Amino acid sequence: MGKGIFHRSELLMGQGVMQALATKRAILFGIGGVGSWCAESLIRTGLRHLTIVDSDRVDVSNINRQLMATCKTVGQVKTEALKNRLLEINPDAQVTPIQQIYGRDTADQFRLEDYDIVIDAIDSLSSKAHLIRHAVGLNVIFVSSMGAALKVDPTRVRVSSFWKVQGCPLARKVRKMLRKWQVDEQYFPCVYSDEVLENEGAYLLKVSDEEDGVAEDEALPGDPALARHTWDAKKASINGSLAHVTGIFGFTMAGLVIQRIREEVKYRELEASSIEA
């Protein structure tokens, strides 16, 4: 099957880009409604080395928007469930699952300098800000996603320099935190939407309390108790989100990575042709 999987990718982008994709090492933080689709797009296009980081297990509430979440995978570790999905696409891919939270206390466990690509699809405000502070100082391709919840309109998904994002409450809060840390305003692309809706539904959700060993709890969306069951307990609330929006966010991030790799290859090819001439 091998090369045939990527025939259409190579037809469009050429052998040089495909070779670059096959050798690049990427790490993706957060594989929920955004990150899972980003991972799928990268592997389908030809990326071979991908590390996926998330601490959560698949919950029934994930099924409406997360790639690997199905009725059959509920209860499975998310990174393992997604790895299995990605290897069904390309069995030769090297997918490394890490069931862990990225944050101030765990950052040293991840050697970001060992990667060519760092992708931020983290939900937690503080963890996202910490990753950005770390990644922008490295010589890597870095892309970030802001909040994809509370949105319905796909035409309002945008790409901009993170420091110029307008209308996104999460971006505003992250920028405030980074400025407090005196982080330089270096450019990196960010996917966002300026649409901010309100949750119109309110209902009880059954969730399992793994931390406290309680069999079942009940919590309303937005209840801090419910946040304990997400991939990072520091998230402030649970908001409604839809697959078509989170998917666009994820696919757009993958597109930014692929576009950057293509540009680098084309630049090197142009340099080589100029020297030969």
Side-chain angles (χ1 to χ4, degrees):
M1 207 173 290
K3 188 177 178 180
I5 300 174
F6 306 111
H7 173 68
R8 296 296 181 96
S9 298
E10 184 173 336
L11 186 63
L12 176 62
M13 297 190 295
Q15 188 178 31
V17 176
M18 298 308 297
Q19 289 176 343
L21 272 171
T23 58
K24 296 291 186 182
R25 290 171 50 82
I27 185 166
L28 167 60
F29 292 94
I31 56 169
V34 174
S36 59
W37 297 102
C38 178
E40 166 124 343
S41 182
L42 290 172
I43 293 296
R44 283 190 183 274
T45 304
L47 187 80
R48 300 294 181 98
H49 305 276
L50 178 63
T51 298
I52 50 178
V53 183
D54 199 306
S55 70
D56 209 357
R57 291 177 178 268
V58 177
D59 185 81
V60 66
S61 65
N62 303 148
I63 294 174
N64 85 313
R65 70 200 181 282
Q66 298 184 13
L67 174 70
M68 64 287 174
T70 69
C71 292
K72 290 184 178 180
T73 61
V74 169
Q76 294 181 16
V77 174
K78 281 186 180 179
T79 51
E80 293 293 340
L82 182 57
K83 175 185 176 180
N84 293 337
R85 162 73 178 189
L86 298 178
L87 292 181
E88 288 179 358
I89 297 168
N90 181 14
D92 295 327
Q94 296 182 18
V95 181
T96 303
I98 300 179
Q99 188 185 10
Q100 178 61 280
I101 292 172
Y102 178 92
R104 183 180 60 185
D105 298 332
T106 61
D108 291 342
Q109 300 176 26
F110 303 95
R111 292 179 53 84
L112 299 189
E113 60 273 14
D114 291 343
Y115 295 90
D116 305 293
I117 303 159
V118 178
I119 304 169
D120 162 37
I122 293 176
D123 291 336
S124 161
L125 170 63
S126 60
S127 295
K128 178 178 289 290
H130 195 287
L131 178 60
I132 290 173
R133 180 173 67 171
H134 189 179
V136 294
L138 301 174
N139 184 28
V140 298
I141 297 172
F142 177 59
V143 298
S144 179
S145 168
M146 293 298 109
L150 299 177
K151 306 176 193 310
V152 172
D153 187 350
T155 67
R156 292 173 70 169
V157 179
R158 301 283 188 270
V159 175
S160 177
S161 166
F162 166 74
W163 297 99
K164 295 182 179 180
V165 169
Q166 298 292 325
C168 175
L170 178 58
R172 184 170 61 250
K173 292 176 182 177
V174 173
R175 282 198 298 263
K176 182 178 180 181
M177 187 171 289
L178 292 174
R179 284 173 178 142
K180 182 179 179 180
W181 294 341
Q182 298 182 332
V183 175
D184 293 338
E185 296 187 8
Q186 298 182 50
Y187 169 84
F188 62 90
C190 175
V191 183
Y192 75 102
S193 168
D194 62 359
E195 181 181 26
V196 182
L197 303 176
E198 294 184 359
N199 290 313
E200 296 187 13
Y203 55 90
L204 289 174
L205 291 178
K206 291 284 187 178
V207 293
S208 60
D209 194 328
E210 297 173 1
E211 290 183 355
D212 301 330
V214 179
E216 257 185 359
D217 265 345
E218 290 186 349
L220 285 169
D223 187 326
L226 194 56
R228 293 202 306 270
H229 310 283
T230 63
W231 94 282
D232 189 336
K234 296 179 181 178
K235 283 195 287 188
S237 62
I238 302 299
N239 292 312
S241 51
L242 301 174
H244 70 275
V245 174
T246 64
I248 291 172
F249 269 66
F251 284 133
T252 302
M253 283 211 299
L256 290 171
V257 170
I258 293 163
Q259 184 178 12
R260 174 70 180 278
I261 293 171
R262 181 177 181 273
E263 288 171 352
E264 288 181 354
V265 171
K266 294 303 177 184
Y267 179 76
R268 288 197 301 268
E269 290 176 349
L270 183 61
E271 274 193 325
S273 63
S274 298
I275 293 172
E276 290 175 1

